Amino acid sequence: MSNFDLVIQLFLQLTVILATCRIVTIIGRRYLGQTDVVCEMIAGVMLGPSLLGLIAPDFQQWLFPKLPIITAVGLKIPNPSMSILYAISQIGLAIYMFLIGLEFNTKLLKHHIKSASLLSAAGIITPFILGAIASFWFYRNGDFFQPKVMPWSAALYLGASMTITAFPMLARILYERGLTQTRFGTLALGAASVDDAVAWCLLAIVLASVKNSLSIAILAIGGGICYVLFAIFLGQPLLKAFTRMTKREGVNRQTLTLMLIILMFCAWFTDVTGIYAIFGAFVLGAVTPRGEFAQQIRQYTEFLTTSFLLPIFFVFSGLNTQIGLVNTPTLWGVTLLIIAIAILGKGVACMLAAKLAGENWRESATIGALMNARGLMELIILNIGLEQGIITPTLFTIMVIMAVITTLMASPLIAFLLHGTSYEKSST
C-alpha cells in the first residue's frame, strides 16, 4: 500500500470508529446509565469480528485488515494500516493518563495512607491468589496459554490480570460525579494506582520468563522505581517553573508544546523500561503543579483526547476480540468462573477492606464497585499478553468478556449506592 492509500483507509477507519462510538455512547448514557468509557469498549467489540465480522465479514476485513499483506514474491508483512491505528491509540492513551494524574489528590492521600494501603493490599493479594490458582487448572485443561509459557508464568499473568483495576474509568466516574476530592474517592484512586503498578511489575516478570531474559524484569522494576523517585524529588520542583510561566503569560503555545515534549519523553522512557507509557504519563500528571496551569492544560487537551484519540484504543482492542471462540458449554463455564473470581477477588475483598479502614457500608460498597471494574487497563494488559504470545485468542476473549461485564456493573451500582446522598447532590 502506498502512503496515499494508507491515508485514504485511515480517514474511513476513523470515520467509522468515531461515528460508532458516538452512537453507542448516546444510547448507553441515555438508556443504560453507562459512562463514555464503557460505551466505547462495547463499540470496539461491535466493530470487531464478534459483530461486524459476522454481519459483513468481507467489509470488516477490508476496513480493519488483520491479515498480513502478501508481496509479489510471497513475503508476508504486517498490514501497516493497523499499526498506524495502534500508534495513534497509544498517543491518546498517554495523554489521557496524564490528565488522570492531574486529577489525583496526592495531599489527601497522604492523610489516609494507612487506609489506602489496606485497601490496596486487599485489591492485590486476594484476586492474585484466586487468579493464580485458577491458572493451573486452565494450563492443564484447554487451549488458554501458548505452549512456550511455563505454569508459574501463566499463574503470574492471570493473577496480574485479575489484580488490574480500570483506573482511568474509576477516575472518570469519580470526576463526572464530583467525587475526586472526597476521602473515599481518593482512597480508591490511590489503591487502584498501586494495584496497577504492582500488576505491571508482575507482567514484566512474565515477559522476562517468556523471553528467557531476567534483564527485562530488572529493567522494568528498577527503571520504574528510579522514575518515580526522580519524578518526586527532582521533577516536581523543576515542574514548578510552569506555574511561574503561567502567572506571567498564561499557557501559550510554547508552554503547551514544552509540556507535551516532557510527556512524550516520559512515555517513551517507561515504555523502554517495560512498565509502559501509561505509568510514566500518570506519574508525570501526579507531580505536575496544580492550579491555573493544570486547569488550562486540561482545558486545551481533554476534549480532543477523550473525543478523538481514546476511542481508537477501545476499537483497536475490540478488533482482537472474537466472542465466537467461546463456543462450548465448557468455555462458557470457564467464562462464568472467571467473572465470579473477578468479583469475589476484587469487588468483595476491597469492600470489606474499606469497611475495616473505617468507611461506612455505603462508601465501602461503592469503593468495591469502583475497584471491581477492569475496563481500559484490563484491555491493555490483555493486548500485551496476546501480542507477546502469552495467551491464546480464546483466553483473550474470555478475559475481555469479564472486563466488559465487571465494567458494565460499575456505573449502575454506583448510581444506586449514591442515590440521594450529599455526594450525588454535589455532583449535579
Side-chain angles (χ1 to χ4, degrees):
M1 299 178 71
S2 66
N3 290 336
F4 183 71
D5 293 332
L6 284 173
V7 170
I8 291 177
Q9 186 169 31
L10 177 63
F11 283 141
L12 183 59
Q13 288 172 334
L14 294 177
T15 301
V16 173
I17 289 171
L18 296 177
T20 304
C21 287
R22 192 68 255 153
I23 293 171
V24 174
T25 298
I26 292 173
I27 296 172
R29 288 182 68 92
R30 181 173 299 176
Y31 299 106
L32 301 176
Q34 295 294 337
T35 62
D36 291 3
V37 174
V38 178
C39 297
E40 287 162 3
M41 283 179 61
I42 297 172
V45 175
M46 290 173 59
L47 287 176
S50 300
L51 182 60
L52 183 59
L54 290 177
I55 300 173
D58 292 337
F59 175 73
Q60 199 274 338
Q61 173 57 32
W62 172 79
L63 184 61
F64 301 109
K66 297 290 291 182
L67 299 177
I69 295 175
I70 302 178
T71 64
V73 295
L75 180 66
K76 293 183 178 180
I77 59 174
N79 196 294
S81 67
M82 298 307 294
S83 298
I84 293 172
L85 275 183
Y86 175 78
I88 295 174
S89 73
Q90 294 304 299
I91 295 172
L93 202 56
I95 300 175
Y96 184 66
M97 290 306 297
F98 169 73
L99 294 174
I100 295 300
L102 285 178
E103 288 290 326
F104 190 53
N105 192 333
T106 55
K107 292 182 179 179
L108 188 56
L109 180 64
K110 291 177 183 178
H111 293 102
H112 306 293
I113 190 67
K114 290 184 179 180
S115 299
S117 299
L118 177 62
L119 181 59
S120 176
I124 293 173
I125 297 172
T126 311
F128 179 82
I129 291 176
L130 293 177
I133 292 173
S135 73
F136 290 111
W137 186 89
F138 294 152
Y139 191 85
R140 299 188 188 96
N141 301 274
D143 181 28
F144 299 111
F145 293 96
Q146 298 291 358
K148 65 180 179 180
V149 179
M150 300 297 291
W152 68 271
S153 297
L156 284 177
Y157 180 81
L158 195 59
S161 299
M162 290 296 185
T163 300
I164 283 290
T165 296
F167 185 66
M169 180 198 164
L170 182 153
R172 189 74 178 175
I173 292 175
L174 292 174
Y175 177 77
E176 289 179 358
R177 293 184 173 275
L179 305 173
T180 308
Q181 305 294 323
T182 63
R183 169 187 158 89
F184 82 88
T186 301
L187 288 178
L189 279 172
S193 64
V194 174
D195 287 4
D196 286 0
V198 171
W200 294 126
C201 292
L202 292 173
L203 178 62
I205 297 173
V206 174
L207 293 175
S209 68
V210 171
K211 296 182 179 180
N212 197 25
S213 175
L214 182 61
S215 61
I216 294 177
I218 295 175
L219 181 63
I221 298 173
I225 293 173
C226 291
Y227 174 77
V228 171
L229 293 176
F230 179 86
I232 294 174
F233 295 106
L234 291 176
Q236 196 166 21
L238 292 173
L239 288 170
K240 289 181 180 178
F242 283 106
T243 302
R244 295 190 293 270
M245 294 166 62
T246 304
K247 288 180 179 179
R248 289 198 306 266
E249 51 190 17
V251 176
N252 53 28
R253 183 180 300 177
Q254 288 75 20
T255 308
L256 179 60
T257 302
L258 180 58
M259 192 69 245
L260 289 174
I261 291 172
I262 296 173
L263 171 59
M264 293 300 113
F265 176 80
C266 292
W268 168 82
F269 179 81
T270 47
D271 247 343
V272 168
T273 56
I275 54 174
Y276 297 95
I278 55 171
F279 182 74
F282 170 73
V283 171
L284 176 64
V287 300
T288 296
R290 301 302 191 260
E292 184 64 23
F293 172 71
Q295 292 176 7
Q296 290 193 34
I297 286 290
R298 191 181 301 111
Q299 178 183 344
Y300 285 129
T301 58
E302 184 175 26
F303 181 77
L304 182 64
T305 301
T306 56
S307 301
F308 178 63
L309 296 174
L310 197 60
I312 299 172
F313 173 81
F314 291 108
V315 171
F316 189 88
S317 299
L319 296 177
N320 291 321
T321 305
Q322 305 175 55
I323 296 178
L325 293 176
V326 185
N327 54 9
T328 66
T330 300
L331 289 177
W332 279 111
V334 170
T335 304
L336 292 176
L337 176 62
I338 286 288
I339 294 171
I341 290 174
I343 295 173
L344 288 173
K346 197 76 174 181
V348 176
C350 289
M351 179 184 70
L352 296 176
K355 181 59 180 174
L356 287 175
E359 305 299 320
N360 59 46
W361 276 114
R362 185 192 294 267
E363 292 179 352
S364 298
T366 303
I367 289 175
L370 285 167
M371 296 291 287
N372 185 54
R374 268 56 177 204
L376 175 67
M377 305 304 287
E378 185 71 38
L379 295 183
I380 295 172
I381 199 170
L382 292 178
N383 275 282
I384 293 171
L386 187 65
E387 291 168 5
Q388 297 295 328
I390 299 172
I391 59 175
T392 63
T394 301
L395 183 56
F396 177 88
T397 298
I398 290 173
M399 296 296 287
V400 168
I401 293 173
M402 179 274 290
V404 170
I405 290 177
T406 56
T407 308
L408 278 170
M409 292 169 55
S411 291
L413 272 175
I414 293 166
F416 171 76
L417 290 167
L418 297 182
H419 179 66
T421 66
S422 58
Y423 297 122
E424 182 187 57
K425 292 172 185 175
S426 67
S427 63
T428 55

